[in-house]
Amino acid sequence: DAGVIQSPRHEVTEMGQEVTLRCKPISGHNSLFWYRQTMMRGLELLIYFNNNVPIDDSGMPEDRFSAKMPNASFSTLKIQPSEPRDSAVYFCASSLGGALTDTQYFGPGTRLTVL
Amino acid sequence: LAKTTQPISMDSYEGQEVNITCSHNNIATNDYITWYQQFPSQGPRFIIQGYKTKVTNEVASLFIPADRKSSTLSLPRVSLSDTAVYYCLVGDKAAGNKLTFGGGTRVLVKP
């Protein structure tokens, strides 16, 4: 199994630009999670989906952030417009079941730098 | 808002046992406690999970007291390759059972 796939692995952009991060979960997994990791705030859950439906987006920082899951094998996290404080590593994870504490399998992350 | 707290760092030597305690005094009633390991430039990786008492697998043990307000990850006989950051993950009842990671404990294993 290829595991969770994220792209790009690194993204450098300028303030005000739109950024789209992509994730392909493990085949057969029903839940997908987006996290952000920074030195100051650690690992934060942004949003999670179950069966392609957003269940809890209370961690999304503000309206500039949006996430979609059009099908079971693909999800995007979009930031528009991006700001320097959005610089972080963004992880996508998937799990087999619908319980929040089911084992999650993380992707390698996307390191975002907003100049 | 209740916090999930862990020591920031720990040093150890090869062959020793390492115990990391996570405090989660507002854990969601029905949620499991999960521990993850993270190496630099990688995503977190599942280590162990439990609900109460003791759980053991091939890499670690997890001790959970009856009140479930804390949990202790035990790594027996660590090696240099166990140098990593270790996170606990629980549902926080005060935050509507939202998944909350602890701040992470950086474990350095020395030769």
Side-chain angles (χ1 to χ4, degrees):
Chain A
D1 195 331
V4 175
I5 299 173
Q6 291 187 247
S7 64
R9 293 293 311 276
H10 302 272
E11 176 80 37
V12 180
T13 190
E14 292 187 340
M15 182 173 63
Q17 297 297 306
E18 177 180 295
V19 174
T20 299
L21 311 181
R22 297 171 175 80
C23 175
K24 176 179 169 54
I26 292 173
S27 177
H29 280 193
N30 296 315
S31 295
L32 183 141
F33 305 79
W34 281 101
Y35 289 91
R36 177 172 68 176
Q37 186 173 38
T38 61
M39 288 294 293
M40 290 297 294
R41 299 175 68 89
L43 273 160
E44 301 174 280
L45 176 63
L46 301 178
I47 185 171
Y48 82 94
F49 296 83
N50 183 247
N51 292 323
N52 312 337
V53 176
I55 303 300
D56 182 359
D57 65 355
S58 61
M60 296 285 262
E62 47 197 274
D63 292 345
R64 297 185 296 106
F65 285 69
S66 62
K68 293 183 180 179
M69 192 164 185
N71 56 62
S73 59
F74 184 65
S75 177
T76 59
L77 177 67
K78 184 179 294 186
I79 308 173
Q80 166 63 19
S82 59
E83 295 182 3
R85 61 189 167 126
D86 302 330
S87 297
V89 180
Y90 291 82
F91 288 104
C92 175
S94 68
S95 67
L96 184 60
L100 272 182
T101 49
D102 281 352
T103 301
Q104 296 182 34
Y105 297 83
F106 284 76
T110 295
R111 182 175 295 276
L112 173 65
T113 302
V114 183
L115 303 174
Chain B
L1 185 67
K3 283 188 173 181
T4 304
T5 57
Q6 309 174 225
I8 292 175
S9 64
M10 279 187 172
D11 286 1
S12 184
Y13 290 91
E14 283 188 291
Q16 289 189 334
E17 179 181 85
V18 171
N19 296 304
I20 309 169
T21 297
C22 177
S23 172
H24 32 76
N25 58 5
N26 217 17
I27 184 173
T29 304
N30 297 319
D31 277 353
Y32 281 76
I33 298 160
T34 313
W35 283 80
Y36 288 82
Q37 174 191 56
Q38 186 178 29
F39 296 113
S41 301
Q42 295 185 23
R45 185 178 69 170
F46 172 86
I47 300 176
I48 196 167
Q49 183 181 71
Y51 183 77
K52 60 181 179 181
T53 62
K54 178 184 175 182
V55 179
T56 297
N57 63 19
E58 62 276 9
V59 298
S61 293
L62 181 59
F63 299 91
I64 304 168
D67 65 7
R68 301 193 347 112
K69 295 189 176 188
S70 66
S71 59
T72 299
L73 173 72
S74 179
L75 306 172
R77 298 177 300 282
V78 293
S79 63
L80 297 177
S81 62
D82 292 318
T83 293
V85 181
Y86 294 83
Y87 295 92
C88 59
L89 174 65
V90 302
D92 188 332
K93 192 160 55 177
N97 295 346
K98 182 176 178 178
L99 277 182
T100 304
F101 271 97
T105 299
R106 187 174 301 276
V107 172
L108 173 62
V109 181
K110 303 175 183 177

